[in-house]
Amino acid sequence: MTEKKSKNVITTGPPAAGIYSPNQQNLIRPITTEDVTQDYLRCVNCGYCRDVCRVYNITFSERDYAGGRNRVLKSLAKKEVLFNPLTIQDLVFKCMLCGACREVCPVGIDTLHVFRSFRVRAVNAGVIPEKLAKVRDSIIEFANPFMEEGTHRHDWCQGNACNEGYVAWEKGVELYRKIESGELKPKDVDPNLVAYFIGCTSAYRNNELSSATCRVLDAMGVNFIVIPEEKCCGSVLFRTGVDDVATKLMKYNIDLIRKVGIKEVIFSCAGCFSTFSNEYVEYTNNNLGFKLSHVTQFIPRFAKEHNFYFKYNLRPKEDPLIITFHDPCHLARYTNVYEEPRELISMIEGIRLVEMQYIKKMNHCCGAGGGVRALYGDIATNIADSRLDETVECWDQINEDRLLEAVETKAESLVSACVFCKNNLSNAASQFKPDLPVHDILQILENCKVVRIA
Ligand code: SF4
Ligand code: SF4
């Protein structure tokens, strides 16, 4: 296992810690977006991105943060250095594509775009890690990354596994049958009907999340279907440079949803939501034809429209469960969803939210992004553990800030809204902090009553 190192290391370069004022939005960009893959040439090696890079803060390798990587890319472009494919592989894939570096870069380099573009180039040149090649091949053959048969995609709700999910799936099958037979026109479909896109990981591995989502939606009285023939959204492929296969899947999913006239698609998977919100929207030139909502957006909106709130069954209002919220990168920097999850938490009686230091735009990635969990498991686990440390530190800070009011406050649960964050953080918690439970927000909501306001 990679040795765990202190994150309070003193580095050379600017004191970036705590100084997150540089922001590309404040700057006039001297190049056009067409030139963006050449953006790394503008890197001035200021080092602002070093402190925010969680990978660098574990490995301390100069190649592992944006500025250092840019320096190597410049040398490679000038043919000053030659690397073997394995070193190149490390260079382009040991990055979570979390986007924290892009937020702090004072010259406005779109690091995410640069590093994604280099992944595409590396893959096109035959440099692809074996594990990712297997994922790619599985998605090509099975339309999911787990080498599972497509016919088993909705096994999670069959039989008595999740009745609410089964009903929604049956409703979806019936809707497609009616549209395909001409019995129903897409324009006549109930405009309030929403479709729940499950995503591969919740469909094949984390059934607890797809089931919890369906139970919560059902308890709220939402008119929804499970899309019977959905396929992988292509997220992993887009983020690992296998764009051609990802684009085929994207076209398939768009056509599938459009053909039944559904007006809104909801997601519990932050990765699928981000892929639809970015790649799908861009591909259709901002004309997807249906609205996209993450459940953390849909649920509070629906609750306000229908006048209800939630009551947590396991703790009373007077003794609430104290949680902190980990912003998933795919909800935060990728799709700018910051306030709605917090609004949702505020609607739950019996839950109290207290914030960590690094949240929202400057959240620290859980460690799972960009394929790092699959390729560099030890790094992902160490990064997740440092996020758990922050959860605990968050309470220490509160003790200092609020003195007596918070003396007895303790971290009780770390809550997120992304299956990958939950898995990676739970894995680290089981190893290093078994007393700190990690939940997805849906698992909290599943244990709530819907309380109608008279
Ligand atoms: S990528 Fe931006 S923040 Fe990082 S070293 Fe280069 S100029 Fe500085
Ligand atoms: S995207 Fe995240 S992991 Fe990658 S270099 Fe930037 S800060 Fe580091």
Side-chain angles (χ1 to χ4, degrees), residues 319-369:
D319 178 27
L321 179 77
I322 298 175
I323 66 167
T324 190
F325 183 68
H326 167 81
D327 294 274
C329 297
H330 287 292
L331 272 196
R333 285 183 286 267
Y334 275 64
T335 49
N336 291 316
V337 178
Y338 303 111
E339 300 309 330
E340 296 97 321
R342 290 168 171 81
E343 185 186 16
L344 172 57
I345 292 167
S346 76
M347 289 178 166
I348 310 173
E349 188 181 296
I351 298 284
R352 181 179 156 216
L353 171 73
V354 192
E355 298 282 13
M356 285 184 276
Q357 185 177 357
Y358 297 102
I359 58 168
K360 300 184 180 177
K361 205 115 189 143
M362 286 321 304
N363 81 309
H364 284 164
C365 176
C366 74

Side-chain angles (χ1 to χ4, degrees), residues 49 52-56 64-66 69 94-102 111-112 115:
C49 54
V52 299
C53 180
R54 308 313 293 156
V55 173
Y56 173 79
D64 289 344
Y65 70 97
R69 186 175 299 123
K94 205 190 282 176
C95 167
M96 303 177 300
L97 297 178
C98 71
C101 46
R102 186 171 66 172
T111 48
L112 270 183
F115 300 149

